[in-house]
Amino acid sequence: MAGTPRSRLDTRPTPARGVEEGGPVRRLLIGAAVVFLGVFLLLPLANVFYQALGKGWDTYLRALREPDTLSAVRLTLLVAAIAVPVNTVFGLAAAWAVAKFDFRGKALLVTLIDLPFSISPVVAGLIYLLLFGRQGPLGRWLDAYDIQIVFAVPGIVLATLFVTVPFVARELIPLMQSTGSEQEQAALTLGAGGWQTFWHVTLPSVKWGLLYGIILCNARAMGEFGAVSVLSGHISGQTETMPLRVEKLYHEYNATGAFAVASLLALLALVTLVFKTLLEWKQQRDFARAQQAPAQNSHEP
Amino acid sequence: MSIELRNVSKRFGATVAVDRVSFTVRDGELVALLGPSGGGKTTVLRMIAGLERPTEGDLFIRGQRVNDVPVQQRNIGFVFQSYALFKNMTVFKNIAFGLRVKGWKRRDIRARVEELLALFGLEDLGRRYPHQLSGGQRQRVAIARALAPKPRVLLLDEPFGAVDAKIRQELREWLVRLHRELNVTTLFVTHDQEEAMEVADRIVIFSRGRLEQIGTPREVYETPVNEFVARFIGVLNVLELEVWGGLATVGEIQIPAPGLRDGDRIRIGFRPYAVAISPDLTQYRYLATLQRTYFLGVMLRLELETEAGLVIRARMTKEEYAQLGLRDGLKVSFQIRNYRVLATEGAPLGPEEKAAYPELPSAGENI
């Protein structure tokens, strides 16, 4: 069906037909993949939980209840609670602008949205450090008004915002482009205002892609290390997020504590994965239904 | 006067999509905007809807200048070529949308939507989603949705473009019936002249952004204002002749050309029905072979080829054909009963002329 949303979700690869590898070759390839995944992904993941819980459930909970660790969890949640909504709104606005309008500098905008993907997070952190730090052009002015960005929560939020900019926008742009703007125009001719059109027509048609983008954005916002590390100052109990906390505990030879916090992050990753798979499954089902349905109803009553 | 355009132009950058177009549509009329693709007809429709702004000129709906009235407040119904149904809403919700955003009461919405579902024969489909409908059903939902808020004007962009031939015929008849019942001023865009002729009260013909002619189907067919219209509406034989000694000639065909100099070229056009054919080789002036007969139902289309290689298209009824005992490959005589002198495209046509022939026709000539 024309106009079916095209997104990264729909392009799950199907095995090439007609190429039937012989038994041994196939077994070898599958075996290699399984061993590779096992050694490099599953084993470390299992190890995280093993190490965290190795000294018993009580030790694990005690490690998590440590005030500095709790503070890190709170800060991580706070940062995500700011970065995710902001980038969701930005992503929607940017995707809307790119998909529905033609304007000068559109290609530049799309490239800029991708910038955080291509720049090392450490460099991103440094950019803000140099911009807002004491020696930076804005540093003195901020100092005069007693606004602290670097080595404080605002800096962490900024760094996280920067690295998570592309997730929602990247997911929505192709989706909105394929949907076109006729449904919105139809809503306008029926008397709907801009906001009603957005709420009732645009948003529902991209909701799964949007949710997918938000989930990825959230995972990255909580897990970001490099950019945040540069701007944080590593003050325990104040400017430490969970990834930074893991590093510090580990350097303090507190393996149990480090792995306990790491297990929380790993858990977040697993939950994200489950959500992502669910969404893919849901979208593929919608897609398949949309393709089959017209054929079943092609007769005219 | 329901809709009026006064010298309306639309430019996209350097391209002129619509060039100083003026016409009026009366209340309750069913009007076709006809022309080849790229002719500007869809742009005109979108300007009336408010989806495009005229670069110049004035646009009136019911006497009110609407150039600056936003699309939401024009109270028009618009049916998109692709229907643009809301994919995430059921048929019921699609039709209810225009009423919901206008703040109708829930009970009134339900009553109005059910009324429309019944009117459009969609009673059982209220809970379906657009992807579960056939092309024809989708189109009816799109029209029902556009009509729900009781618009003053219904605009349809290529309404029959996306359905197959058999359903298209049904939908045409259905649209005519619907228009008669609801009596809402309706404009539709089409590139299919047959469709326009069959459905519309009047036809507005566009080419390259300009209005070529506006008139009833009969007017544009019988008195086209220029060669473009003549060729676009129906089939037209066109011949280019060279003048020599007061006669214009191509192949065997000769017509008098008083007032023209030797070496001048003129073009004439004539409809297939203006060609008279007889199996009696002495009856008419010219000889040709009947190359091929196309059966189009009651009417047949005939293709003649003269010795000199001119191809002439003619038509007649099945009965005439049988009476004359014609068949493919037969030698026949023919005559052009009347023709028009064509000027260059866009310029006005000469009047229709009874074919007068330079020499006396043979006995039994029938013109």
Side-chain angles (χ1 to χ4, degrees), chain A residues 146-160:
Chain A
D146 208 17
I147 301 169
Q148 203 169 6
I149 290 180
V150 169
F151 305 138
V153 174
I156 296 170
V157 172
L158 269 179
T160 308

Side-chain angles (χ1 to χ4, degrees), chain A residues 3 182 190 192 204 293 297 300, chain B residues 72 82 87-88 102 131 134 140:
Chain A
E182 281 206 330
L190 289 166
N297 293 286
E300 194 67 6
Chain B
Q72 292 97 332
S82 64
K87 276 189 236 154
N88 56 299
K102 284 196 170 68
H131 65 78
S134 71
R140 277 183 283 161

Side-chain angles (χ1 to χ4, degrees), chain B residues 11 13 36 77 156 160 178 205 227 273 291 310 318 324 331:
Chain B
R11 287 188 288 274
L156 305 104
F160 313 109
L178 182 79
I205 299 166
E227 182 175 345
Y273 65 75
Q291 289 292 0
L310 297 175
K318 242 193 243 171
L324 292 170
K331 280 253 179 208

Side-chain angles (χ1 to χ4, degrees), chain A residues 190, chain B residues 95-105 108-110 112-113 116 148-150:
Chain A
L190 289 166
Chain B
I95 299 173
F97 184 85
L99 309 174
R100 207 154 53 117
V101 297
K102 284 196 170 68
W104 280 39
K105 285 204 198 80
D108 299 340
I109 293 178
R110 174 157 287 280
R112 175 71 176 150
V113 174
L116 283 162
K150 304 189 173 165

Side-chain angles (χ1 to χ4, degrees), chain B residues 4 8 10 46-61 63-75 152:
Chain B
E4 184 176 359
V8 170
K10 176 71 184 178
R46 291 174 61 86
M47 283 194 289
I48 295 169
L51 294 169
E52 306 279 359
R53 262 185 79 91
T55 316
E56 274 161 29
D58 300 306
L59 195 68
F60 298 87
I61 297 179
Q64 182 201 0
R65 188 174 178 277
V66 293
N67 285 45
D68 304 314
V69 177
V71 48
Q72 292 97 332
Q73 286 159 33
R74 289 203 189 178
N75 197 11
R152 293 180 292 186

Side-chain angles (χ1 to χ4, degrees), chain A residues 202-227:
Chain A
T202 310
L203 205 54
S205 69
V206 298
K207 62 184 172 196
W208 298 117
L210 179 66
L211 210 53
Y212 183 78
I214 289 174
I215 285 171
L216 290 184
C217 181
N218 182 55
R220 182 68 189 269
M222 290 190 171
E224 175 56 26
F225 180 82

Side-chain angles (χ1 to χ4, degrees), chain A residues 65-79:
Chain A
R65 260 193 238 121
E66 218 212 306
D68 286 356
T69 300
L70 281 179
S71 151
V73 171
R74 271 197 300 272
L75 181 59
T76 300
L77 291 176
L78 173 73
V79 169

